[in-house]
Amino acid sequence: MIKEFDIYVISDSVGDTAEQVARAAAEQYKNADYEIKKHPYVESRTKIDDILDPIDNRNSIVVYTIVNQETAQYLEDKCQKKGFPFIDIMGPCLSTFTDFIGQEPARESGVIRKLDEDYFKRVEAVEFAVKYDDGKDPRGILKADIVLIGVSRSSKTPLSMYLAHKNYKVVNIPLVKGAKVPDQVYEAPRKKVIGLTIDPSDLIEIRRERIRVLGLDSGVDYVSIDKIIEELDYAEKIMRRVGCPVIDMTKKAVEEAANLIIDIINDLN
């Protein structure tokens, strides 16, 4: 009976899946001690040789997730020559999926790693949108992928968050009459800046609802139609000076507007 052994986890990606399966299995044997030696991102025969050739402990088992058939076969042949038992974690799963779906797998290595990278990019974009929301720090303007400018309640923040989930770093800047527009708005590449406008009658309804929710006085200038028209006129002048594309948010869903923005950005790039 083996008392101690090594588990070599070899993967063309991070190797977490193979490690977790190997550990779960090894923990079932209470009278044996083991050590896991993980080798991620193994995509060549040379790397396999580098890992397996130096091993002189006969009490070793190889657990692997390698989707490239030739590389996986080379690993198995190498294990057989060395006398190591080996376990293919991904192979049986792919085989069953192939029979079920009726098509061959792409066998692309590092797919999960790519998904993880997308996830972290999305998290970074969301954190960026929160940090630079509503003009909190104009220094974010020159770092952003997209800069949204417009009056209050023209959907700047909802758009910023939606676009962040599409991996875009977004800054939104409120245009308030009497308040200085950050210099960075004029310095940013025109292809990054998008103006948002909205019909005055729609905007006043949105603002009234906001006032009601906050429990504030409904007689404030914030919901005055004359003041709203002044604000929109002022914002339009700024947008003309910037020379940016303008999207009318009247009756427009955030998803629809976001797709328009993405199309504009992509066309200009």
Side-chain angles (χ1 to χ4, degrees), residues 92-104:
C93 186
L94 285 176
S95 178
T96 301
F97 269 84
T98 298
D99 292 341
F100 173 68
I101 297 173
Q103 71 178 63
E104 290 298 318

Side-chain angles (χ1 to χ4, degrees), residues 34-95:
Y34 66 91
E35 181 180 355
I36 290 181
K37 300 181 179 182
K38 186 164 71 171
H39 298 271
Y41 311 129
V42 177
E43 299 177 348
S44 70
R45 297 184 177 191
T46 301
K47 284 190 175 182
I48 291 173
D49 290 341
D50 291 342
I51 296 165
L52 296 184
D53 284 348
I55 301 174
D56 54 15
N57 178 11
R58 307 304 297 177
N59 291 341
S60 298
I61 185 170
V62 175
V63 179
Y64 73 91
T65 51
I66 296 178
V67 295
N68 181 276
Q69 285 181 308
E70 292 182 358
T71 307
Q73 187 61 56
Y74 182 81
L75 173 63
E76 292 181 5
D77 292 343
K78 191 86 176 180
C79 286
Q80 287 176 339
K81 289 177 182 177
K82 297 277 292 186
F84 298 150
F86 55 88
I87 304 167
D88 177 6
I89 299 297
M90 188 66 74
C93 186
L94 285 176
S95 178

Side-chain angles (χ1 to χ4, degrees), residues 128-130 132-137 141 144 146-150 155-161 169-175 185 194 196:
F128 187 94
V130 171
Y132 297 109
D133 181 46
D134 205 29
K136 289 177 185 174
D137 186 348
I141 294 172
I146 300 171
V147 180
L148 302 178
I149 59 175
S155 295
K156 297 187 304 300
T157 295
L159 271 171
S160 295
M161 297 309 298
K169 292 180 179 178
V170 186
V171 167
N172 71 79
I173 305 295
L175 299 180
V185 170
I194 303 290
L196 304 177

Side-chain angles (χ1 to χ4, degrees), residues 212-230:
R212 186 191 69 77
V213 170
L214 295 176
L216 301 177
D217 181 7
S218 60
V220 296
D221 284 346
Y222 188 67
V223 290
S224 162
I225 187 65
D226 291 336
K227 293 294 183 182
I228 283 176
I229 290 173
E230 284 184 19

Side-chain angles (χ1 to χ4, degrees), residues 151-165:
V151 299
S152 174
R153 312 315 294 176
S154 58
S155 295
K156 297 187 304 300
T157 295
L159 271 171
S160 295
M161 297 309 298
Y162 186 91
L163 288 164
H165 281 85

